[in-house]
Amino acid sequence: MASTSVSRVVPASPGSVWQLIGGFGSLPDWVPQIPESTPLEGGRVRRLTMGDGEVVVERLVGFSEGERSYSYTIVEAPFPVAGYLATLRVHTVPGEPDSAEVQWSGRFYPQGASDDEMVALFTGVYRDGLDALHTMLAD
């Protein structure tokens, strides 16, 4: 099993960050590479259309408003992985009420690709998304 995790401190309170990113269908609100999210099965599944037209279908498997986190699996994707489980979480930053740490992590089994290739792919996805979030909140 391979895994990766990216964290980024952003310039907004944890509550306001969670309000922006905590909805399972909210990725297009803050990740420019994902222009469309279509809710399915009452919002427990999302069909993401990527900027290049590729489609990823993900299922929500855990959600905690109190912990400001949700976890999801990939149902269908062009990525060569199995057993994918990712979590998006917003943490407080001690002593900094107007900052939040956002952590995006995932674990998976590469299928027909190396661990290093898939770790680099998902590290890039998470990093690019959190960089876009930081830029949006800093403006």
Side-chain angles (χ1 to χ4, degrees):
M1 176 175 281
S3 64
T4 186
S5 183
V6 176
S7 293
R8 182 78 193 260
V9 174
V10 296
S13 71
S16 62
V17 173
W18 181 246
Q19 186 173 7
L20 174 63
I21 73 171
F24 191 53
S26 71
L27 286 178
D29 297 340
W30 59 279
V31 180
Q33 299 88 340
I34 304 174
E36 184 179 338
S37 177
T38 304
L40 305 169
E41 296 183 26
R44 304 247 345 138
V45 173
R46 64 186 177 194
R47 181 183 188 276
L48 305 173
T49 303
M50 312 304 268
D52 60 7
E54 290 187 324
V55 171
V56 177
V57 179
E58 298 171 335
R59 176 177 301 280
L60 182 66
V61 295
F63 182 89
S64 174
E65 188 75 35
E67 294 180 8
R68 295 186 188 108
S69 71
Y70 69 78
S71 297
Y72 61 95
T73 60
I74 289 179
V75 176
E76 172 190 327
F79 317 123
V81 295
Y84 179 94
L85 176 66
T87 300
L88 186 65
R89 179 173 285 126
V90 178
H91 300 280
T92 60
V93 177
E96 296 186 36
D98 294 326
S99 294
E101 179 185 9
V102 182
Q103 179 185 32
W104 200 348
S105 58
R107 63 181 197 231
F108 41 85
Y109 295 97
Q111 304 284 297
S114 74
D115 284 11
D116 289 345
E117 288 173 305
M118 292 299 94
V119 166
L121 172 75
F122 289 109
T123 299
V125 169
Y126 303 164
R127 184 189 58 240
D128 291 351
L130 296 182
D131 285 352
L133 176 64
H134 184 274
T135 298
M136 172 188 289
L137 295 172
D139 286 344

